Amino acid sequence: PAHLPQKDRDQMWPEDLDMVTYVGLRVECLRDIDIFTIAFFVFFQSRLAVAVDRKAVLWKGGIKAVRTDETGVVVESLVELTKDGRAVDVIVRGSNGSKRQCQSFLTYIDDVLMQT
């Protein structure tokens, strides 16, 4: 993790007017004393990057991954560990008419997250 660059959300997730469909979720620790460790998140980043055939950009505390379905619809995701380490935020976006693909990718990322 020490070798991953620091990036900010605006740099990795710029506004894209063609991306009009958004879905997301937050996985949060239940107890105040629990956190997601950086080691856990790095392992998750590695698993997701492999799962999307390395079509991903990783940075400290985040990953942006891209998925293209069999019809050529492209959706992209942003997954970030919150600064306090208590939650993981997942956002998936796509072009108009891509709600099914966005939801499918969100479910896929959630499955990878839960299996990590």
Side-chain angles (χ1 to χ4, degrees), residues 12-109:
M12 298 311 299
W13 192 256
E15 183 178 0
D16 185 337
L17 298 178
D18 292 330
M19 298 293 200
V20 296
T21 302
Y22 285 78
V23 296
L25 63 85
R26 171 174 269 204
V27 178
E28 192 167 19
C29 296
L30 291 176
R31 299 182 313 168
D32 290 341
I33 61 172
D34 294 332
I35 64 167
F36 290 101
T37 65
I38 193 68
F40 165 84
F41 195 75
V42 169
F43 186 58
F44 163 74
Q45 285 175 306
S46 300
R47 289 192 60 183
L48 184 58
V50 168
V52 296
D53 298 323
R54 307 241 184 257
K55 294 177 186 154
V57 178
L58 286 72
W59 64 96
K60 193 174 285 188
I63 180 171
K64 178 181 173 182
V66 177
R67 183 183 201 188
T68 306
D69 78 357
E70 62 281 349
T71 65
V73 174
V74 177
V75 294
E76 59 184 26
S77 67
L78 176 72
V79 184
E80 291 183 301
L81 180 65
T82 58
K83 291 192 187 318
D84 64 5
R86 296 201 20 79
V88 175
D89 291 326
V90 183
I91 307 167
V92 178
R93 68 183 179 183
S95 59
N96 192 26
S98 65
K99 186 171 185 171
R100 182 183 59 80
Q101 292 89 345
C102 288
Q103 190 62 49
S104 173
F105 197 26
L106 180 68
T107 300
Y108 183 79
I109 293 169

